[in-house]
Amino acid sequence: MKSLLLSAAPLLIGALSATFAVVTLAPVVHAEEPAVEVRYEYGPDSVRKEGVPQGTITEHVWGDSKIFPGTLRRYWIYVPAQYDAAKPAALMVFQDGHAYSRERGEFRTPIVFDNLIHEGAMPVTIGVFVDPGTTQPELPPKPGWEPKPENRSVEYDTLSPDYADFLLTEILPEVKKTYNITDDPDGHAIGGISSGGICAFTAAWERPDAFRKVLSHVGSFANIRGGDRYPGMIRKGHDKRPMRIFLQDGSHDLDNAHGNWWLGNLQMEAALKFAEYDYKFVPGEGAHNGNHGGTLMPESLRWLWRDYKLPE
């Protein structure tokens, strides 16, 4: 194998400005996953810092869905150390919760939340990390990508309000029984990777009264269940939504029968620019994984939450 060290500095800002990406030319593989691996390095906001209070994460199970009947899933709740039950907190929901709730995963979200909340770069925020539903009678012993949850594509790739309604009528009311969360939609963000990324966009597109900040990592804006229609929908025939959108993708993302992920994200970026949305697109050279998006997590959250103050 032959390795090259390419500077990723033009792609990253703030604390990640000195980041480098390692590109490895791999043996030829099938076209679905390009034969290039790019690894970006993490910055200081993605590691534990001395003196920064740590939030807590608890695991829960939901198996009484009316919108997705017959499904069973795990979800996790992050509560920052600064949370005060007398004061409403902001909210951020993540799809594929197991991937985003881990400290040692690609995203390291709890660590980033701890660091940015302590710094004041984002508000005190309750994190809700929701896995897609399985139709099996029992959950797998451990959370993860395998076995693949049978209901994931139905929930994430479908262009409808169903998933947003699932969150708003089932998961979040359960969370609010214990935690005080603001009703301000500008204080609600949602994010995800791959099909979870387009799902985040769909939730805010369908219910901007409930979600207005979107974070998409290698989003599946492809024709899995019609997601390639979004650029045209953004450009014409639909009222502009009060959304703020952060997109990340890599030039070596998937290329398969559903479409080309890189081109799909470029089309989204062009459409959002044309329609004058509040958006940011950070391109990279990575493939279909969470590495680049994970290293960008601190910067993406700073950008999404900039200038937001919780209502008094």
Side-chain angles (χ1 to χ4, degrees):
M1 294 187 180
K2 181 179 180 181
S3 296
L4 303 173
L5 190 64
L6 301 181
S7 171
L11 305 178
L12 309 178
I13 54 179
L16 302 180
S17 59
T19 300
F20 290 89
V22 178
V23 180
T24 301
L25 303 182
V28 175
V29 295
H30 296 295
E32 181 172 314
E33 186 71 44
V36 176
E37 294 181 6
V38 179
R39 303 301 296 176
Y40 292 87
E41 301 300 325
Y42 292 85
D45 287 326
S46 296
V47 297
R48 285 286 175 206
K49 297 180 181 180
E50 185 177 354
V52 174
Q54 296 186 23
T56 60
I57 293 185
T58 54
E59 181 178 315
H60 309 264
V61 174
W62 188 257
D64 187 27
S65 179
K66 303 299 188 294
I67 294 179
F68 301 119
T71 60
L72 189 64
R73 74 193 68 228
R74 291 181 174 93
Y75 68 98
W76 295 260
I77 302 174
Y78 162 88
V79 181
Q82 296 86 346
Y83 172 72
D84 180 350
K87 300 177 182 179
L91 169 73
M92 189 157 191
V93 177
F94 289 92
Q95 282 68 251
D96 293 310
H98 69 275
Y100 284 91
S101 61
R102 294 182 297 157
E103 288 198 8
R104 298 190 179 185
E106 290 181 306
F107 299 103
R108 309 180 183 183
T109 314
I111 296 175
V112 178
F113 270 36
D114 285 345
N115 288 334
L116 297 193
I117 291 171
H118 177 70
E119 180 189 327
M122 64 180 285
V124 173
T125 303
I126 299 292
V128 181
F129 306 85
V130 186
D131 263 359
T134 177
T135 57
Q136 298 301 310
E138 295 182 357
L139 287 167
K142 294 182 179 180
W145 295 110
E146 298 294 340
K148 296 179 180 178
E150 298 84 355
N151 219 47
R152 184 174 184 267
S153 181
V154 172
E155 296 175 13
Y156 289 4
D157 294 308
T158 303
L159 274 57
S160 83
D162 287 353
Y163 184 78
D165 290 344
F166 163 72
L167 293 176
L168 295 169
T169 63
E170 298 187 23
I171 298 295
L172 294 179
E174 188 69 17
V175 175
K176 289 181 178 181
K177 289 179 181 178
T178 306
Y179 302 105
N180 187 0
I181 295 174
T182 183
D183 292 326
D184 177 17
D186 286 319
H188 297 173
I190 185 166
I193 181 172
S194 187
S195 291
I198 190 173
C199 178
F201 185 87
T202 298
W205 179 265
E206 295 286 352
R207 294 296 303 271
D209 60 312
F211 299 103
R212 293 190 177 173
K213 292 176 171 58
V214 174
L215 175 59
S216 171
H217 296 129
V218 294
S220 298
F221 297 99
N223 191 21
I224 299 176
R225 294 178 184 266
D228 58 331
R229 300 200 304 266
Y230 268 135
M233 294 165 65
I234 293 167
R235 286 176 177 270
K236 63 181 181 179
H238 294 270
D239 293 334
K240 184 178 178 181
R241 273 70 162 167
M243 297 163 58
R244 177 176 288 178
I245 305 112
F246 189 103
L247 302 174
Q248 170 274 326
D249 196 32
S251 58
H252 293 97
D253 205 342
L254 298 177
D255 185 16
N256 59 32
H258 299 304
N260 183 292
W261 265 241
W262 172 243
L263 294 180
N265 276 271
L266 290 179
Q267 287 277 30
M268 285 292 292
E269 192 271 341
L272 292 169
K273 180 179 181 180
F274 175 82
E276 298 183 341
Y277 271 82
D278 183 7
Y279 82 95
K280 186 177 183 68
F281 174 55
V282 179
E285 298 179 12
H288 198 71
N289 57 57
N291 169 245
H292 186 208
T295 64
L296 288 171
M297 182 66 82
E299 190 57 43
S300 61
L301 294 180
R302 290 176 188 276
W303 185 85
L304 283 172
W305 291 108
R306 74 189 191 278
D307 67 30
Y308 180 76
K309 301 296 182 182
L310 282 163
E312 297 293 335

